Amino acid sequence: MFPLARAAQSLVARGIQHTAVRRAHRKHEPTFHDKYGTMVLLGGAAVFSAVWGYVFTQLNIAWGFSPVGRVTPSEWRE
């Protein structure tokens, strides 16, 4: 049984080595993320900043102020 296990182990090890050598000798072709990843990230950050910058500057929101004492109920109409 021991020689059979050793043969199986060496066969598996040889297959792994063969796969590693084959991958090491292949030329690396850039993927979409390699080519455009940084530009897509920067473009998304720019759009995000522009949209939220517009929202924060165009909405007339008084940030952090309490309406207590400034809001008065209107008279009831019957």
Side-chain angles (χ1 to χ4, degrees):
M1 185 69 180
F2 184 72
L4 182 62
R6 181 186 287 172
Q9 183 183 10
S10 69
L11 185 63
V12 169
R14 224 178 293 140
I16 292 172
Q17 288 173 347
H18 180 70
T19 303
V21 167
R22 190 174 18 168
R23 287 187 181 171
H25 287 269
R26 187 170 41 168
K27 289 186 178 180
H28 175 71
E29 297 177 5
T31 62
F32 176 83
H33 298 287
D34 293 333
K35 289 181 183 178
Y36 308 111
T38 305
M39 293 308 295
V40 169
L41 180 67
L42 292 176
V47 169
F48 177 86
S49 300
V51 168
W52 281 108
Y54 176 79
V55 168
F56 286 142
T57 57
Q58 298 302 315
L59 290 179
N60 294 322
I61 297 176
W63 296 99
F65 296 112
S66 173
V68 174
R70 289 189 288 138
V71 177
T72 57
S74 61
E75 293 294 323
W76 182 260
R77 292 179 287 165
E78 291 192 34

